Structures are given as C-alpha cells and as structure tokens.
Short mmCIF file of all heavy atoms in Angstrom, two decimals:
data_model
loop_
_atom_site.label_atom_id
_atom_site.label_comp_id
_atom_site.label_asym_id
_atom_site.label_seq_id
_atom_site.Cartn_x
_atom_site.Cartn_y
_atom_site.Cartn_z
N THR W 54 24.26 44.62 -27.65
CA THR W 54 23.35 43.59 -28.12
C THR W 54 22.21 44.23 -28.89
O THR W 54 21.62 45.20 -28.44
CB THR W 54 22.77 42.79 -26.94
OG1 THR W 54 23.86 42.21 -26.23
CG2 THR W 54 21.83 41.71 -27.40
N MET W 55 21.91 43.67 -30.03
CA MET W 55 20.82 44.14 -30.87
C MET W 55 19.48 43.78 -30.22
O MET W 55 19.34 42.69 -29.67
CB MET W 55 20.93 43.47 -32.24
CG MET W 55 19.73 43.64 -33.15
SD MET W 55 19.80 42.56 -34.61
CE MET W 55 20.80 43.56 -35.68
N GLN W 56 18.52 44.68 -30.26
CA GLN W 56 17.15 44.36 -29.85
C GLN W 56 16.37 44.06 -31.11
O GLN W 56 16.21 44.92 -31.96
CB GLN W 56 16.52 45.53 -29.08
CG GLN W 56 15.09 45.27 -28.66
CD GLN W 56 14.95 44.13 -27.65
OE1 GLN W 56 15.81 43.92 -26.82
NE2 GLN W 56 13.86 43.40 -27.73
N ILE W 57 15.91 42.82 -31.24
CA ILE W 57 15.17 42.41 -32.42
C ILE W 57 13.70 42.76 -32.24
O ILE W 57 13.11 42.43 -31.22
CB ILE W 57 15.36 40.91 -32.68
CG1 ILE W 57 16.84 40.61 -32.93
CG2 ILE W 57 14.52 40.46 -33.88
CD1 ILE W 57 17.17 39.14 -33.02
N THR W 58 13.14 43.44 -33.24
CA THR W 58 11.73 43.82 -33.22
C THR W 58 11.04 43.24 -34.46
O THR W 58 11.69 42.64 -35.31
CB THR W 58 11.56 45.35 -33.24
OG1 THR W 58 11.97 45.84 -34.53
CG2 THR W 58 12.38 46.02 -32.14
N GLU W 59 9.75 43.46 -34.56
CA GLU W 59 8.99 43.00 -35.73
C GLU W 59 9.54 43.59 -37.03
O GLU W 59 9.44 42.98 -38.09
CB GLU W 59 7.51 43.40 -35.62
CG GLU W 59 6.75 42.65 -34.57
CD GLU W 59 5.28 43.03 -34.52
OE1 GLU W 59 4.84 43.87 -35.35
OE2 GLU W 59 4.57 42.49 -33.68
N GLN W 60 10.11 44.77 -36.95
CA GLN W 60 10.59 45.47 -38.15
C GLN W 60 12.05 45.17 -38.50
O GLN W 60 12.53 45.60 -39.54
CB GLN W 60 10.40 46.98 -37.97
CG GLN W 60 8.95 47.38 -37.76
CD GLN W 60 8.04 46.85 -38.86
OE1 GLN W 60 8.35 46.96 -40.04
NE2 GLN W 60 6.91 46.27 -38.48
N THR W 61 12.75 44.42 -37.66
CA THR W 61 14.15 44.09 -37.94
C THR W 61 14.24 43.20 -39.17
O THR W 61 13.52 42.20 -39.28
CB THR W 61 14.78 43.36 -36.73
OG1 THR W 61 14.63 44.16 -35.56
CG2 THR W 61 16.26 43.09 -36.97
N LYS W 62 15.09 43.56 -40.10
CA LYS W 62 15.30 42.76 -41.31
C LYS W 62 16.01 41.45 -40.94
O LYS W 62 16.94 41.44 -40.14
CB LYS W 62 16.16 43.50 -42.33
CG LYS W 62 15.53 44.78 -42.84
CD LYS W 62 14.42 44.48 -43.80
CE LYS W 62 13.91 45.78 -44.40
NZ LYS W 62 12.68 45.62 -45.10
N ILE W 63 15.56 40.36 -41.55
CA ILE W 63 16.18 39.05 -41.32
C ILE W 63 17.66 39.10 -41.68
O ILE W 63 18.50 38.55 -40.96
CB ILE W 63 15.45 37.96 -42.12
CG1 ILE W 63 13.99 37.81 -41.66
CG2 ILE W 63 16.20 36.63 -42.02
CD1 ILE W 63 13.80 37.42 -40.22
N SER W 64 18.01 39.80 -42.74
CA SER W 64 19.41 39.90 -43.15
C SER W 64 20.26 40.59 -42.07
O SER W 64 21.41 40.20 -41.86
CB SER W 64 19.55 40.63 -44.48
OG SER W 64 19.04 41.95 -44.37
N ASP W 65 19.71 41.58 -41.38
CA ASP W 65 20.45 42.26 -40.32
C ASP W 65 20.74 41.30 -39.17
O ASP W 65 21.82 41.32 -38.58
CB ASP W 65 19.69 43.47 -39.80
CG ASP W 65 19.60 44.60 -40.81
OD1 ASP W 65 20.40 44.60 -41.78
OD2 ASP W 65 18.72 45.47 -40.64
N ILE W 66 19.76 40.45 -38.86
CA ILE W 66 19.95 39.46 -37.79
C ILE W 66 21.04 38.48 -38.19
O ILE W 66 21.96 38.19 -37.42
CB ILE W 66 18.64 38.72 -37.49
CG1 ILE W 66 17.57 39.69 -37.00
CG2 ILE W 66 18.88 37.61 -36.46
CD1 ILE W 66 16.17 39.10 -36.96
N LEU W 67 20.96 37.96 -39.42
CA LEU W 67 21.94 36.98 -39.89
C LEU W 67 23.33 37.59 -40.01
O LEU W 67 24.33 36.92 -39.75
CB LEU W 67 21.49 36.38 -41.22
CG LEU W 67 20.24 35.51 -41.15
CD1 LEU W 67 19.80 35.13 -42.55
CD2 LEU W 67 20.45 34.28 -40.29
N ASP W 68 23.41 38.86 -40.41
CA ASP W 68 24.71 39.53 -40.51
C ASP W 68 25.35 39.72 -39.14
O ASP W 68 26.56 39.57 -38.99
CB ASP W 68 24.58 40.89 -41.20
CG ASP W 68 24.30 40.78 -42.69
OD1 ASP W 68 24.48 39.68 -43.26
OD2 ASP W 68 23.88 41.80 -43.28
N SER W 69 24.54 40.02 -38.14
CA SER W 69 25.07 40.26 -36.80
C SER W 69 25.26 38.98 -36.00
O SER W 69 26.14 38.91 -35.14
CB SER W 69 24.13 41.19 -36.02
OG SER W 69 24.10 42.46 -36.62
N TYR W 70 24.42 37.99 -36.26
CA TYR W 70 24.45 36.73 -35.51
C TYR W 70 24.36 35.57 -36.49
O TYR W 70 23.30 34.98 -36.68
CB TYR W 70 23.28 36.67 -34.51
CG TYR W 70 23.30 37.82 -33.55
CD1 TYR W 70 22.54 38.96 -33.78
CD2 TYR W 70 24.10 37.80 -32.41
CE1 TYR W 70 22.56 40.04 -32.90
CE2 TYR W 70 24.14 38.86 -31.53
CZ TYR W 70 23.36 39.98 -31.78
OH TYR W 70 23.39 41.04 -30.92
N SER W 71 25.48 35.23 -37.09
CA SER W 71 25.48 34.22 -38.15
C SER W 71 25.03 32.84 -37.67
O SER W 71 24.54 32.04 -38.46
CB SER W 71 26.87 34.11 -38.78
OG SER W 71 27.81 33.68 -37.82
N ASP W 72 25.18 32.54 -36.39
CA ASP W 72 24.81 31.22 -35.89
C ASP W 72 23.44 31.20 -35.20
O ASP W 72 23.14 30.30 -34.42
CB ASP W 72 25.89 30.67 -34.97
CG ASP W 72 26.16 31.54 -33.76
OD1 ASP W 72 25.66 32.70 -33.75
OD2 ASP W 72 26.86 31.10 -32.85
N ILE W 73 22.59 32.16 -35.52
CA ILE W 73 21.25 32.20 -34.94
C ILE W 73 20.26 31.34 -35.71
O ILE W 73 19.14 31.10 -35.25
CB ILE W 73 20.74 33.66 -34.82
CG1 ILE W 73 19.63 33.72 -33.77
CG2 ILE W 73 20.28 34.19 -36.18
CD1 ILE W 73 19.31 35.12 -33.32
N ALA W 74 20.65 30.83 -36.86
CA ALA W 74 19.76 30.01 -37.68
C ALA W 74 19.09 28.88 -36.90
O ALA W 74 17.90 28.65 -37.08
CB ALA W 74 20.49 29.48 -38.91
N PRO W 75 19.80 28.15 -36.01
CA PRO W 75 19.13 27.08 -35.27
C PRO W 75 17.95 27.57 -34.42
O PRO W 75 16.95 26.86 -34.28
CB PRO W 75 20.24 26.50 -34.39
CG PRO W 75 21.49 26.78 -35.14
CD PRO W 75 21.25 28.13 -35.78
N ALA W 76 18.03 28.78 -33.89
CA ALA W 76 16.91 29.32 -33.12
C ALA W 76 15.71 29.55 -34.01
O ALA W 76 14.57 29.32 -33.62
CB ALA W 76 17.32 30.64 -32.43
N MET W 77 15.94 29.99 -35.24
CA MET W 77 14.85 30.18 -36.19
C MET W 77 14.30 28.84 -36.65
O MET W 77 13.09 28.66 -36.74
CB MET W 77 15.34 31.00 -37.39
CG MET W 77 15.72 32.41 -37.05
SD MET W 77 16.38 33.24 -38.50
CE MET W 77 15.89 34.91 -38.16
N GLU W 78 15.19 27.90 -36.90
CA GLU W 78 14.77 26.59 -37.38
C GLU W 78 13.97 25.84 -36.33
O GLU W 78 13.09 25.04 -36.67
CB GLU W 78 15.99 25.79 -37.83
CG GLU W 78 16.61 26.36 -39.10
CD GLU W 78 17.93 25.72 -39.49
OE1 GLU W 78 18.42 24.84 -38.75
OE2 GLU W 78 18.46 26.11 -40.53
N ALA W 79 14.21 26.10 -35.06
CA ALA W 79 13.45 25.46 -33.99
C ALA W 79 11.97 25.81 -34.05
O ALA W 79 11.13 25.07 -33.57
CB ALA W 79 14.03 25.85 -32.63
N LEU W 80 11.66 26.94 -34.69
CA LEU W 80 10.28 27.36 -34.84
C LEU W 80 9.72 27.04 -36.22
O LEU W 80 8.63 27.46 -36.57
CB LEU W 80 10.14 28.87 -34.57
CG LEU W 80 10.31 29.27 -33.12
CD1 LEU W 80 10.40 30.78 -32.98
CD2 LEU W 80 9.17 28.74 -32.28
N GLY W 81 10.48 26.31 -37.00
CA GLY W 81 10.00 25.90 -38.32
C GLY W 81 10.44 26.78 -39.46
O GLY W 81 10.02 26.59 -40.59
N ILE W 82 11.29 27.75 -39.21
CA ILE W 82 11.80 28.61 -40.27
C ILE W 82 13.08 27.97 -40.77
O ILE W 82 14.11 28.05 -40.12
CB ILE W 82 12.02 30.05 -39.77
CG1 ILE W 82 10.70 30.63 -39.30
CG2 ILE W 82 12.65 30.91 -40.87
CD1 ILE W 82 10.80 32.00 -38.69
N ARG W 83 13.00 27.31 -41.89
CA ARG W 83 14.09 26.50 -42.41
C ARG W 83 15.00 27.25 -43.36
O ARG W 83 14.59 28.19 -44.04
CB ARG W 83 13.53 25.29 -43.16
CG ARG W 83 12.64 24.43 -42.33
CD ARG W 83 13.46 23.45 -41.54
NE ARG W 83 12.58 22.61 -40.73
CZ ARG W 83 12.74 22.42 -39.44
NH1 ARG W 83 13.73 22.98 -38.81
NH2 ARG W 83 11.92 21.65 -38.76
N SER W 84 16.25 26.83 -43.40
CA SER W 84 17.26 27.30 -44.35
C SER W 84 17.49 28.80 -44.31
O SER W 84 17.85 29.40 -45.31
CB SER W 84 16.88 26.89 -45.78
OG SER W 84 16.75 25.50 -45.86
N VAL W 85 17.34 29.41 -43.14
CA VAL W 85 17.52 30.85 -43.08
C VAL W 85 18.98 31.26 -43.23
O VAL W 85 19.25 32.39 -43.60
CB VAL W 85 16.94 31.45 -41.78
CG1 VAL W 85 15.45 31.31 -41.76
CG2 VAL W 85 17.58 30.82 -40.56
N GLY W 86 19.90 30.36 -42.99
CA GLY W 86 21.31 30.70 -43.09
C GLY W 86 21.95 30.35 -44.42
O GLY W 86 23.13 30.57 -44.60
N SER W 87 21.18 29.82 -45.36
CA SER W 87 21.76 29.40 -46.63
C SER W 87 22.03 30.60 -47.53
O SER W 87 21.46 31.67 -47.37
CB SER W 87 20.84 28.42 -47.35
OG SER W 87 19.65 29.03 -47.71
N LEU W 88 22.90 30.37 -48.51
CA LEU W 88 23.24 31.43 -49.46
C LEU W 88 22.25 31.44 -50.61
O LEU W 88 21.33 30.65 -50.66
CB LEU W 88 24.66 31.19 -49.98
CG LEU W 88 25.75 31.23 -48.94
CD1 LEU W 88 27.09 30.87 -49.58
CD2 LEU W 88 25.84 32.58 -48.26
N GLY W 89 22.47 32.35 -51.53
CA GLY W 89 21.65 32.37 -52.74
C GLY W 89 20.37 33.15 -52.58
O GLY W 89 20.32 34.19 -51.93
N VAL W 90 19.31 32.60 -53.16
CA VAL W 90 18.03 33.30 -53.23
C VAL W 90 17.50 33.62 -51.84
O VAL W 90 17.04 34.74 -51.60
CB VAL W 90 17.01 32.46 -54.02
CG1 VAL W 90 15.63 33.09 -53.96
CG2 VAL W 90 17.45 32.31 -55.46
N ARG W 91 17.57 32.68 -50.92
CA ARG W 91 17.04 32.94 -49.57
C ARG W 91 17.76 34.09 -48.90
O ARG W 91 17.16 34.88 -48.18
CB ARG W 91 17.13 31.69 -48.71
CG ARG W 91 16.19 30.61 -49.15
CD ARG W 91 16.30 29.42 -48.21
NE ARG W 91 15.71 28.24 -48.78
CZ ARG W 91 14.44 27.88 -48.61
NH1 ARG W 91 13.67 28.61 -47.88
NH2 ARG W 91 13.98 26.79 -49.16
N ARG W 92 19.06 34.21 -49.12
CA ARG W 92 19.83 35.29 -48.52
C ARG W 92 19.39 36.63 -49.09
O ARG W 92 19.29 37.62 -48.37
CB ARG W 92 21.32 35.05 -48.80
CG ARG W 92 22.21 35.86 -47.94
CD ARG W 92 22.35 35.20 -46.57
NE ARG W 92 23.50 35.75 -45.91
CZ ARG W 92 23.50 36.11 -44.64
NH1 ARG W 92 22.44 35.93 -43.90
NH2 ARG W 92 24.56 36.61 -44.09
N ARG W 93 19.11 36.66 -50.39
CA ARG W 93 18.65 37.89 -51.01
C ARG W 93 17.26 38.26 -50.52
O ARG W 93 16.97 39.42 -50.27
CB ARG W 93 18.68 37.78 -52.53
CG ARG W 93 20.09 37.93 -53.07
CD ARG W 93 20.13 37.81 -54.55
NE ARG W 93 20.67 36.45 -54.79
CZ ARG W 93 20.49 35.75 -55.88
NH1 ARG W 93 19.82 36.25 -56.87
NH2 ARG W 93 21.02 34.56 -56.00
N ILE W 94 16.41 37.26 -50.37
CA ILE W 94 15.06 37.50 -49.86
C ILE W 94 15.12 38.03 -48.43
O ILE W 94 14.35 38.90 -48.04
CB ILE W 94 14.20 36.23 -49.96
CG1 ILE W 94 13.90 35.92 -51.42
CG2 ILE W 94 12.91 36.37 -49.16
CD1 ILE W 94 13.25 34.58 -51.66
N ALA W 95 16.07 37.54 -47.65
CA ALA W 95 16.22 37.97 -46.26
C ALA W 95 16.46 39.47 -46.15
O ALA W 95 16.12 40.08 -45.14
CB ALA W 95 17.36 37.20 -45.58
N LYS W 96 17.04 40.06 -47.19
CA LYS W 96 17.26 41.51 -47.18
C LYS W 96 15.96 42.29 -47.35
O LYS W 96 15.90 43.45 -47.02
CB LYS W 96 18.24 41.90 -48.30
CG LYS W 96 19.64 41.40 -48.04
CD LYS W 96 20.57 41.81 -49.14
CE LYS W 96 21.96 41.28 -48.86
NZ LYS W 96 22.94 41.69 -49.85
N LEU W 97 14.96 41.62 -47.87
CA LEU W 97 13.69 42.29 -48.16
C LEU W 97 12.63 42.12 -47.08
O LEU W 97 11.69 42.90 -47.02
CB LEU W 97 13.13 41.77 -49.49
CG LEU W 97 14.02 41.92 -50.71
CD1 LEU W 97 13.37 41.23 -51.91
CD2 LEU W 97 14.30 43.37 -51.00
N ILE W 98 12.76 41.08 -46.27
CA ILE W 98 11.69 40.82 -45.31
C ILE W 98 12.14 41.06 -43.87
O ILE W 98 13.31 40.93 -43.54
CB ILE W 98 11.10 39.40 -45.46
CG1 ILE W 98 12.14 38.34 -45.16
CG2 ILE W 98 10.50 39.21 -46.83
CD1 ILE W 98 11.56 36.94 -45.10
N ASN W 99 11.17 41.40 -43.05
CA ASN W 99 11.43 41.63 -41.64
C ASN W 99 10.90 40.45 -40.82
O ASN W 99 10.33 39.50 -41.36
CB ASN W 99 10.83 42.96 -41.18
CG ASN W 99 9.34 43.04 -41.41
OD1 ASN W 99 8.62 42.04 -41.38
ND2 ASN W 99 8.84 44.24 -41.66
N VAL W 100 11.09 40.51 -39.53
CA VAL W 100 10.70 39.42 -38.63
C VAL W 100 9.19 39.16 -38.72
O VAL W 100 8.76 38.00 -38.79
CB VAL W 100 11.12 39.74 -37.18
CG1 VAL W 100 10.53 38.74 -36.20
CG2 VAL W 100 12.64 39.76 -37.07
N LYS W 101 8.39 40.21 -38.75
CA LYS W 101 6.94 40.04 -38.80
C LYS W 101 6.52 39.29 -40.07
O LYS W 101 5.70 38.37 -40.01
CB LYS W 101 6.26 41.41 -38.75
CG LYS W 101 4.75 41.33 -38.71
CD LYS W 101 4.14 42.71 -38.57
CE LYS W 101 2.63 42.64 -38.50
NZ LYS W 101 2.04 43.97 -38.34
N THR W 102 7.10 39.66 -41.20
CA THR W 102 6.77 38.99 -42.46
C THR W 102 7.25 37.55 -42.46
O THR W 102 6.53 36.65 -42.90
CB THR W 102 7.40 39.75 -43.64
OG1 THR W 102 6.91 41.10 -43.63
CG2 THR W 102 7.05 39.11 -44.96
N ALA W 103 8.43 37.30 -41.95
CA ALA W 103 8.96 35.93 -41.89
C ALA W 103 8.06 35.06 -41.02
O ALA W 103 7.77 33.91 -41.37
CB ALA W 103 10.38 35.93 -41.34
N ALA W 104 7.60 35.59 -39.91
CA ALA W 104 6.71 34.84 -39.03
C ALA W 104 5.42 34.49 -39.75
O ALA W 104 4.93 33.36 -39.67
CB ALA W 104 6.42 35.64 -37.76
N LYS W 105 4.89 35.45 -40.48
CA LYS W 105 3.63 35.22 -41.22
C LYS W 105 3.82 34.16 -42.30
O LYS W 105 3.01 33.25 -42.45
CB LYS W 105 3.15 36.53 -41.82
CG LYS W 105 1.81 36.42 -42.50
CD LYS W 105 1.32 37.79 -42.99
CE LYS W 105 -0.03 37.68 -43.64
NZ LYS W 105 -0.53 38.97 -44.10
N ILE W 106 4.91 34.27 -43.06
CA ILE W 106 5.19 33.32 -44.14
C ILE W 106 5.29 31.90 -43.61
O ILE W 106 4.78 30.96 -44.21
CB ILE W 106 6.49 33.71 -44.88
CG1 ILE W 106 6.27 34.98 -45.69
CG2 ILE W 106 6.98 32.57 -45.76
CD1 ILE W 106 7.56 35.59 -46.24
N HIS W 107 5.93 31.75 -42.46
CA HIS W 107 6.18 30.42 -41.90
C HIS W 107 5.14 29.99 -40.87
O HIS W 107 5.31 28.97 -40.21
CB HIS W 107 7.58 30.37 -41.31
CG HIS W 107 8.65 30.50 -42.34
ND1 HIS W 107 9.03 29.46 -43.15
CD2 HIS W 107 9.39 31.55 -42.75
CE1 HIS W 107 9.97 29.85 -43.98
NE2 HIS W 107 10.20 31.13 -43.76
N ARG W 108 4.08 30.81 -40.74
CA ARG W 108 2.98 30.50 -39.82
C ARG W 108 3.44 30.27 -38.39
O ARG W 108 3.08 29.30 -37.74
CB ARG W 108 2.18 29.30 -40.33
CG ARG W 108 1.49 29.58 -41.65
CD ARG W 108 0.61 28.42 -42.06
NE ARG W 108 -0.08 28.76 -43.29
CZ ARG W 108 0.12 28.12 -44.45
NH1 ARG W 108 0.96 27.12 -44.51
NH2 ARG W 108 -0.55 28.47 -45.51
N VAL W 109 4.29 31.19 -37.94
CA VAL W 109 4.82 31.17 -36.58
C VAL W 109 4.32 32.44 -35.89
O VAL W 109 4.40 33.52 -36.47
CB VAL W 109 6.37 31.18 -36.60
CG1 VAL W 109 6.93 31.29 -35.21
CG2 VAL W 109 6.90 29.94 -37.31
N PRO W 110 3.79 32.33 -34.68
CA PRO W 110 3.38 33.55 -33.97
C PRO W 110 4.57 34.50 -33.82
O PRO W 110 5.64 34.09 -33.36
CB PRO W 110 2.90 33.04 -32.61
CG PRO W 110 2.53 31.60 -32.86
CD PRO W 110 3.51 31.12 -33.91
N VAL W 111 4.39 35.74 -34.23
CA VAL W 111 5.49 36.70 -34.21
C VAL W 111 6.05 36.87 -32.80
O VAL W 111 7.27 37.00 -32.62
CB VAL W 111 5.10 38.05 -34.86
CG1 VAL W 111 4.10 38.81 -34.02
CG2 VAL W 111 6.32 38.89 -35.15
N ALA W 112 5.21 36.84 -31.79
CA ALA W 112 5.69 36.99 -30.41
C ALA W 112 6.62 35.83 -30.03
O ALA W 112 7.63 36.04 -29.34
CB ALA W 112 4.51 37.06 -29.44
N ASP W 113 6.30 34.62 -30.49
CA ASP W 113 7.15 33.47 -30.20
C ASP W 113 8.51 33.61 -30.89
O ASP W 113 9.55 33.32 -30.30
CB ASP W 113 6.49 32.17 -30.67
CG ASP W 113 5.27 31.79 -29.84
OD1 ASP W 113 4.99 32.45 -28.81
OD2 ASP W 113 4.60 30.82 -30.23
N LEU W 114 8.49 34.06 -32.15
CA LEU W 114 9.73 34.23 -32.88
C LEU W 114 10.59 35.32 -32.24
O LEU W 114 11.79 35.12 -32.03
CB LEU W 114 9.44 34.58 -34.35
CG LEU W 114 10.65 34.77 -35.26
CD1 LEU W 114 11.58 33.57 -35.23
CD2 LEU W 114 10.20 35.06 -36.68
N LEU W 115 10.00 36.44 -31.90
CA LEU W 115 10.74 37.52 -31.25
C LEU W 115 11.35 37.05 -29.93
O LEU W 115 12.52 37.33 -29.64
CB LEU W 115 9.84 38.72 -31.01
CG LEU W 115 9.50 39.56 -32.23
CD1 LEU W 115 8.40 40.56 -31.90
CD2 LEU W 115 10.74 40.26 -32.76
N SER W 116 10.57 36.34 -29.14
CA SER W 116 11.06 35.84 -27.86
C SER W 116 12.24 34.90 -28.05
O SER W 116 13.27 35.03 -27.39
CB SER W 116 9.93 35.13 -27.12
OG SER W 116 10.41 34.56 -25.93
N LYS W 117 12.11 33.97 -28.97
CA LYS W 117 13.17 32.99 -29.23
C LYS W 117 14.45 33.67 -29.72
O LYS W 117 15.54 33.36 -29.25
CB LYS W 117 12.67 31.98 -30.26
CG LYS W 117 13.61 30.85 -30.53
CD LYS W 117 13.39 29.77 -29.52
CE LYS W 117 14.10 28.49 -29.97
NZ LYS W 117 14.03 27.46 -28.98
N LEU W 118 14.31 34.60 -30.66
CA LEU W 118 15.49 35.28 -31.20
C LEU W 118 16.18 36.15 -30.15
O LEU W 118 17.40 36.12 -30.01
CB LEU W 118 15.09 36.14 -32.41
CG LEU W 118 14.59 35.37 -33.63
CD1 LEU W 118 14.11 36.34 -34.69
CD2 LEU W 118 15.65 34.44 -34.17
N ASN W 119 15.40 36.94 -29.41
CA ASN W 119 15.99 37.80 -28.40
C ASN W 119 16.62 37.00 -27.27
O ASN W 119 17.68 37.36 -26.76
CB ASN W 119 14.97 38.82 -27.89
CG ASN W 119 14.80 39.97 -28.86
OD1 ASN W 119 15.76 40.63 -29.21
ND2 ASN W 119 13.59 40.20 -29.31
N THR W 120 16.00 35.89 -26.89
CA THR W 120 16.58 35.02 -25.87
C THR W 120 17.90 34.45 -26.35
O THR W 120 18.88 34.40 -25.61
CB THR W 120 15.60 33.89 -25.50
OG1 THR W 120 14.43 34.48 -24.93
CG2 THR W 120 16.22 32.93 -24.50
N ALA W 121 17.95 34.03 -27.62
CA ALA W 121 19.17 33.45 -28.17
C ALA W 121 20.33 34.44 -28.16
O ALA W 121 21.44 34.08 -27.77
CB ALA W 121 18.92 32.95 -29.59
N ILE W 122 20.07 35.69 -28.53
CA ILE W 122 21.18 36.65 -28.57
C ILE W 122 21.57 37.12 -27.18
O ILE W 122 22.74 37.38 -26.92
CB ILE W 122 20.90 37.84 -29.51
CG1 ILE W 122 19.73 38.68 -29.05
CG2 ILE W 122 20.71 37.36 -30.93
CD1 ILE W 122 19.55 39.96 -29.85
N GLN W 123 20.62 37.19 -26.26
CA GLN W 123 20.93 37.64 -24.91
C GLN W 123 21.62 36.56 -24.09
O GLN W 123 22.43 36.86 -23.22
CB GLN W 123 19.68 38.13 -24.20
CG GLN W 123 19.16 39.42 -24.81
CD GLN W 123 17.78 39.82 -24.33
OE1 GLN W 123 17.20 39.17 -23.48
NE2 GLN W 123 17.24 40.87 -24.90
N SER W 124 21.32 35.30 -24.38
CA SER W 124 21.92 34.20 -23.62
C SER W 124 23.27 33.79 -24.18
O SER W 124 23.95 32.95 -23.60
CB SER W 124 20.99 32.99 -23.62
OG SER W 124 20.95 32.40 -24.91
N GLY W 125 23.63 34.37 -25.33
CA GLY W 125 24.90 34.01 -25.94
C GLY W 125 24.80 32.80 -26.84
O GLY W 125 25.81 32.32 -27.34
N ALA W 126 23.59 32.30 -27.07
CA ALA W 126 23.41 31.16 -27.97
C ALA W 126 23.73 31.54 -29.40
O ALA W 126 24.04 30.69 -30.21
CB ALA W 126 21.97 30.63 -27.88
N ALA W 127 23.68 32.82 -29.69
CA ALA W 127 24.07 33.32 -31.01
C ALA W 127 25.21 34.29 -30.78
O ALA W 127 25.10 35.21 -29.98
CB ALA W 127 22.90 34.02 -31.68
N SER W 128 26.32 34.08 -31.45
CA SER W 128 27.47 34.96 -31.24
C SER W 128 27.50 36.07 -32.28
O SER W 128 27.07 35.88 -33.41
CB SER W 128 28.76 34.16 -31.28
OG SER W 128 28.90 33.53 -32.52
N THR W 129 28.03 37.18 -31.88
CA THR W 129 28.13 38.34 -32.77
C THR W 129 29.21 38.11 -33.80
O THR W 129 30.31 37.66 -33.48
CB THR W 129 28.47 39.60 -31.95
OG1 THR W 129 27.52 39.73 -30.91
CG2 THR W 129 28.45 40.83 -32.81
N THR W 130 28.91 38.44 -35.06
CA THR W 130 29.89 38.27 -36.13
C THR W 130 30.31 39.59 -36.73
O THR W 130 31.39 39.69 -37.30
CB THR W 130 29.34 37.37 -37.26
OG1 THR W 130 28.15 37.97 -37.77
CG2 THR W 130 29.05 35.98 -36.77
N GLY W 131 29.48 40.57 -36.64
CA GLY W 131 29.81 41.86 -37.26
C GLY W 131 30.21 42.87 -36.22
O GLY W 131 30.37 42.58 -35.05
N SER W 132 30.34 44.10 -36.64
CA SER W 132 30.70 45.18 -35.74
C SER W 132 29.48 45.91 -35.24
O SER W 132 29.58 46.97 -34.64
CB SER W 132 31.64 46.16 -36.45
OG SER W 132 31.00 46.69 -37.58
N ASN W 133 28.28 45.34 -35.45
CA ASN W 133 27.03 45.97 -35.04
C ASN W 133 26.63 45.60 -33.63
O ASN W 133 25.52 45.80 -33.22
CB ASN W 133 25.88 45.56 -35.98
CG ASN W 133 26.13 46.02 -37.39
OD1 ASN W 133 26.94 46.92 -37.61
ND2 ASN W 133 25.44 45.43 -38.34
N SER W 134 27.51 45.07 -32.84
CA SER W 134 27.16 44.63 -31.50
C SER W 134 27.15 45.75 -30.51
O SER W 134 27.78 46.74 -30.65
CB SER W 134 28.11 43.54 -31.04
OG SER W 134 29.44 43.99 -31.07
#
C-alpha cells in the first residue's frame, strides 16, 4: 500500500488508485480523474499544492486519501502496490 504524503504527486495517486477520485471529490477537489489538461496538470502538482489550490486543509486531504487506500475504498490499478 502506498503511503500518501504532502509531496506525493496527484498523478502517482491516480495511476495507482484509479477509483480514488470520489475520495478527493468529497473534499471539493473536482474532476481529478478526468483526462486531458487536468491529467497533465496532475503530473506537476503534489498533494500539498492540490490542497492549497482547492482550499482544503492538507491534513484533511491526507487523512481522507490514506483512509481510502487502506480501507480498500480505492483499488490498486498499477504494479506499484
């Protein structure tokens, strides 16, 4: 299981856990799973930056994401598990 930190790239999370988008959207981070420009931007930003952009406390986002992957709410899609 991946440990998500402030420095984890959003693209790494989405690559490893393709169905984690609902956990992000629950905190107001919309369209994180869409293709195109947002997907390219995801390669450039980390969790801390995403939290700041969307005005979400980084601790809340980290907690939600790590809980989702540990509880099995997000399934592994890549070989990075």
